[in-house]
Amino acid sequence: MQSDHPPHKPAWFVTGTDTEIGKTFVACALLHTLRRAGLSAVAMKPIAAGFDDSGRNDDVERLLAASSLQPPRELVNPYGFKAAIAPHIAAAEEGRHVELTQIVAAFAQLQTLADAVLVEGVGGFCVPLGRTHDTADLAAALKLPVIMVVGMRLGCINHALLTQQAILARGLPLAGWVANRIDPAMLRCSENIAALQERLTAPLLGVVEHGTTAENAALGLRLPGQAG
């Protein structure tokens, strides 16, 4: 389940402190950031749950729209489940099994098509994918540095620190984090961001304001290695 991705081609695993905290939105913004840097960029959503009657998933469609090219959908989304529920439950209900080797192989093919690849996880970092493996196992199989999206709301500091702990426990580098202001009414948001900057081992790549577009959010984001 090991990935032999070319070291000269940037790639990251995008995870979050919870579900519904803006991973897909931030991944789209990062795609625009990569494209502004002159790189062709594509995103992968290995596991997605929640498809409409036409076989479309909102997250997959948004990532495809923000990508530089339109690769085969089976590479972008190897596993799609109809019901919008936890992926291990959806897989069990459909009698399917998520194979990490298939995802790693699809990722390797995507790397031959673009300069940079973003892989967006599902839910939080430790969401189960089956009886024996979870999203953290997928990130480890891909051997990718991780970008963590922190949904700025009450409780985010604890969630971010626990997610960082889980990432580092898998031997993966935390390349950076993005503060996504999902709750516009959050009190003392800047103070919370400052507290996270003091406690997280990785640089803040940018703050995404509530209600902005992915294209505008990209203007305020830095890529890992560029953050000061």
Side-chain angles (χ1 to χ4, degrees):
M1 294 187 298
Q2 298 301 312
S3 170
D4 297 319
H5 47 279
H8 63 283
K9 284 197 170 185
W12 296 276
F13 189 90
V14 180
T15 193
T17 48
D18 201 349
T19 191
E20 299 298 325
I21 51 80
K23 287 192 310 298
T24 301
F25 183 87
V26 172
C28 289
L30 287 167
L31 286 169
H32 288 294
T33 302
L34 286 161
R35 295 174 65 177
R36 286 175 59 85
L39 300 173
S40 62
V42 66
M44 181 184 190
K45 180 80 174 179
I47 302 113
F51 283 74
D52 62 23
D53 292 337
S54 64
R56 303 285 170 144
N57 171 269
D58 285 344
D59 290 350
V60 174
E61 298 307 313
R62 289 162 63 194
L63 292 171
L64 280 168
S67 295
S68 302
L69 60 150
Q70 301 295 298
R73 287 175 180 269
E74 60 268 23
L75 298 183
V76 174
N77 175 227
Y79 290 96
F81 302 108
K82 176 70 173 176
I85 56 178
H88 69 292
I89 299 175
E93 288 185 356
E94 294 186 20
R96 301 168 65 191
H97 179 72
V98 174
E99 297 286 352
L100 300 188
T101 51
Q102 181 176 336
I103 295 172
V104 172
F107 168 76
Q109 290 186 63
L110 284 177
Q111 282 215 304
T112 68
L113 303 177
D115 297 326
V117 181
L118 293 176
V119 181
E120 185 196 334
V122 56
F125 188 65
C126 296
V127 167
L129 302 178
R131 289 183 176 273
T132 59
H133 51 270
D134 58 21
T135 305
D137 293 319
L138 172 58
L142 290 166
K143 297 193 295 187
L144 291 177
V146 179
I147 294 174
M148 178 174 63
V149 181
V150 179
M152 298 307 300
R153 63 187 178 199
L154 190 62
C156 66
I157 295 176
N158 181 63
H159 290 164
L161 295 178
L162 287 175
T163 301
Q164 173 180 256
Q165 188 177 70
I167 292 166
L168 299 180
R170 295 299 179 115
L172 298 171
L174 180 58
W177 64 283
V178 175
N180 187 25
R181 298 198 62 172
I182 58 173
D183 179 6
M186 181 186 185
L187 299 176
R188 311 295 187 271
C189 185
S190 60
E191 289 86 346
N192 276 265
I193 291 173
L196 285 168
Q197 285 183 283
E198 292 176 356
R199 291 164 173 81
L200 293 174
T201 62
L204 174 63
L205 302 177
V207 178
V208 175
E209 296 298 332
H210 185 267
T212 189
T213 64
E215 292 87 345
N216 286 337
L219 300 175
L221 293 179
R222 296 184 291 267
L223 298 172
Q226 297 179 339

